[in-house]
């Protein structure tokens, strides 16, 4: 009986078009923000921050960028790991080659470099789609892997491609402790999440969804395919590049091209599919699923006192994890975000579901 819209009247266009039109949703979101900004930094352990929350935030940001391209615009991409690598190495070069370069500016410039690369490899989307486009974006992944291994200038003359950063700070405040790193990543996620939500609600997002549903019909009604598709590649690559820089700077500290291999691209694509295509919340649901579930499955036998070999536990984790992915795709192909939406709809109608 608590989740109702009775009596919530809209008296202006602004009130009718707000992100959360239902008052209960606004209260829940404010409570979630308070939990993330105030409660978690004060109560979370170092292990929880380093192993779960920081990777979850960064991967959710990367999945958010990929969801804009795949979920909202319908353009398949298997080069997300490569775009993350471009953002990471570009931000590294800006930081080490330009004296006094602020960390935030370096990360944003890394995102811009990823945007340029993403648009270049997105040009084939103007003529091809589906599996052929997936292969074209896969070429971006292999090209980035080759470039950061062979072109020494990109890695500051590192022979192995391994680089690292340390002593990060923002406005004189160091980013060293897990709490500081968590809040730093949380700030990026909140800002880009708000930007992405407003983009997909506006005319740009509607043009993306029109291209996704039927590109020929979208062109007939006046939507320019080149502008719609390349803008989706640009926005997606920028967010993914920023996420790659955060993954390298904050989570890893030192990294090599293998940290952004094709496995990372498939992992992010699974996040988007499981979380929900064409949903901002789906990026967070998918990231939580892929980050938390393997840790739970790894520790489940020990929590129940079941003696099991470490190698067997690792294989069982992969088997159960794969079976759950297939189960979710069969039960609800539109992802966890759709299950959440159905639950909210039933709450709004309870006790009279129909």
């Amino acid at each position: 009986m608590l989740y109702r819209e009775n009596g919530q009247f809209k008296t202006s266009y602004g009130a009718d078009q707000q992100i959360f039109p239902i008052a209960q949703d606004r209260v829940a979101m404010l409570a979630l923000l308070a939990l993330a900004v105030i409660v978690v930094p004060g109560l979370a352990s170092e292990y929880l921050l380093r192993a779960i929350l920081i990777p979850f935030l960064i991967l959710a940001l990367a999945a958010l960028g990929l969801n804009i391209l795949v979920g909202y615009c319908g353009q398949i991409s298997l080069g997300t790991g490569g775009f993350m690598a471009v953002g990471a190495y570009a931000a590294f070069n800006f930081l080490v080659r330009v004296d006094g370069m602020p960390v935030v500016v370096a990360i944003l410039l890394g995102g811009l470099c990823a945007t340029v690369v993403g648009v270049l490899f997105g040009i084939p989307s103007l003529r091809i789609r589906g599996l052929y486009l997936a292969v074209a974006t896969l070429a971006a992944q292999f090209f980035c892997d080759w470039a950061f291994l062979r072109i020494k200038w990109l890695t500051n003359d590192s022979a192995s491609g391994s680089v690292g950063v340390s002593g990060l700070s923002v406005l004189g405040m160091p980013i060293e402790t897990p709490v500081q790193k968590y809040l730093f990543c949380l700030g990026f996620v909140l800002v880009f999440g708000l930007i992405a939500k407003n983009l997909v609600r506006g005319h740009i997002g509607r043009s993306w969804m029109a291209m996704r549903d039927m590109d020929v019909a979208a062109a007939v009604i006046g939507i320019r395919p080149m502008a719609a598709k390349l803008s989706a590649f640009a926005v997606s690559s920028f967010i993914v590049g920023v996420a790659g820089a955060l993954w390298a700077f904050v989570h890893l500290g030192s990294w090599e091209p293998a940290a952004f291999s094709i496995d990372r691209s498939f992992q992010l694509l699974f996040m988007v599919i499981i979380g929900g295509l064409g949903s901002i919340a789906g990026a967070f649901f998918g990231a939580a699923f892929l980050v938390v579930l393997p840790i739970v499955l790894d520790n489940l036998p020990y929590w129940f006192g079941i003696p099991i070999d470490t190698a067997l536990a690792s294989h069982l984790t992969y088997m159960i994890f794969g079976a759950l992915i297939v189960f979710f795709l069969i039960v609800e192909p539109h992802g966890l975000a759709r299950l959440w939406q159905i639950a909210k709809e039933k709450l709004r109608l309870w006790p009279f579901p129909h």
Side-chain angles (χ1 to χ4, degrees):
M1 300 296 291
L2 297 176
Y3 194 67
R4 286 292 187 273
E5 301 169 67
N6 297 10
Q8 300 182 32
F9 302 108
K10 309 298 187 300
T11 58
S12 66
Y13 288 110
D16 191 49
Q17 296 176 355
Q18 55 191 335
I19 297 178
F20 301 104
I22 302 176
Q24 290 90 331
D25 287 340
R26 293 195 294 272
V27 172
M29 185 55 59
L30 289 175
L32 184 62
L33 286 175
L35 176 68
V37 176
I38 300 173
V39 178
V40 170
L43 299 180
S45 64
E46 181 176 350
Y47 170 78
L48 182 63
L49 291 170
R50 288 185 181 275
I52 298 178
L53 292 180
I54 293 176
F56 160 72
L57 289 175
I58 301 174
L59 292 177
L61 182 61
L64 177 64
L66 181 60
N67 209 349
I68 287 176
L69 182 63
V70 179
Y72 283 99
C73 196
Q75 308 301 304
I76 303 298
S77 175
L78 294 178
T80 316
F83 301 144
M84 289 183 71
V86 171
Y89 279 99
F92 165 77
N93 277 279
F94 281 116
L95 194 65
V96 299
R97 296 181 187 276
V98 180
D99 292 335
M101 172 65 70
V103 174
V104 175
V105 177
I107 291 174
L108 295 178
L109 289 175
L112 287 176
C113 293
T115 301
V116 174
V117 176
V119 169
L120 287 176
F121 282 95
I123 291 176
S125 69
L126 303 177
R127 301 299 297 271
I128 59 177
R129 57 185 174 179
L131 182 61
Y132 300 100
L133 180 59
V135 174
T137 55
L138 187 61
Q141 176 71 52
F142 292 139
F143 173 78
C144 293
D145 288 344
W146 173 85
F148 295 121
L149 279 173
R150 302 298 181 185
I151 304 176
K152 294 184 179 181
W153 185 88
L154 297 176
T155 58
N156 199 23
D157 297 325
S158 173
S160 64
S162 177
V163 297
V165 295
S166 61
L168 301 178
S169 63
V170 176
L171 299 177
M173 296 181 293
I175 308 173
E176 296 176 353
T177 66
V179 172
Q180 292 168 340
K181 293 181 178 180
Y182 165 79
L183 292 175
F184 184 67
C185 294
L186 181 63
F188 275 95
V189 172
L190 292 178
V191 170
F192 281 102
L194 182 62
I195 293 173
K197 184 65 175 179
N198 282 284
L199 275 176
V200 300
R201 294 191 322 136
H203 71 280
I204 297 177
R206 289 193 292 271
S207 68
W208 292 342
M209 289 182 276
M211 296 303 301
R212 174 196 65 192
D213 296 337
M214 188 175 290
D215 54 355
V216 176
V220 168
I221 64 174
I223 295 175
R224 294 183 297 169
M226 182 176 71
K229 291 182 179 181
L230 292 186
S231 64
F233 268 97
V235 174
S236 172
S237 301
F238 179 75
I239 297 176
V240 168
V242 170
L246 289 174
W247 186 261
F249 283 21
V250 179
H251 181 58
L252 298 179
S254 60
W255 68 95
E256 56 185 7
F260 304 101
S261 64
I262 192 173
D263 292 339
R264 184 71 61 201
S265 299
F266 281 114
Q267 183 188 36
L268 292 170
L269 187 60
F270 292 155
M271 287 182 188
V272 172
I273 294 174
I274 295 170
L277 291 168
S279 170
I280 298 297
F284 295 91
F285 286 136
F289 186 88
L290 265 80
V291 171
V292 177
L293 187 62
I295 297 176
V296 173
L297 293 177
D298 282 336
N299 292 278
L300 202 59
Y302 304 104
W303 292 343
F304 288 96
I306 302 175
I308 188 171
D309 184 66
T310 304
L312 178 60
S314 176
H315 287 89
L316 284 176
T317 298
Y318 283 112
M319 293 169 62
I320 297 173
F321 188 64
L324 286 173
I325 291 176
V326 174
F327 171 78
F328 274 113
L329 291 180
I330 293 174
V331 172
E332 182 49 72
H334 296 289
L336 298 174
R338 177 57 183 165
L339 294 177
W340 173 247
Q341 185 180 3
I342 292 173
K344 289 173 63 177
E345 291 173 356
K346 288 187 176 295
L347 279 176
R348 291 165 68 180
L349 297 172
W350 187 87
F352 306 109
H354 61 273

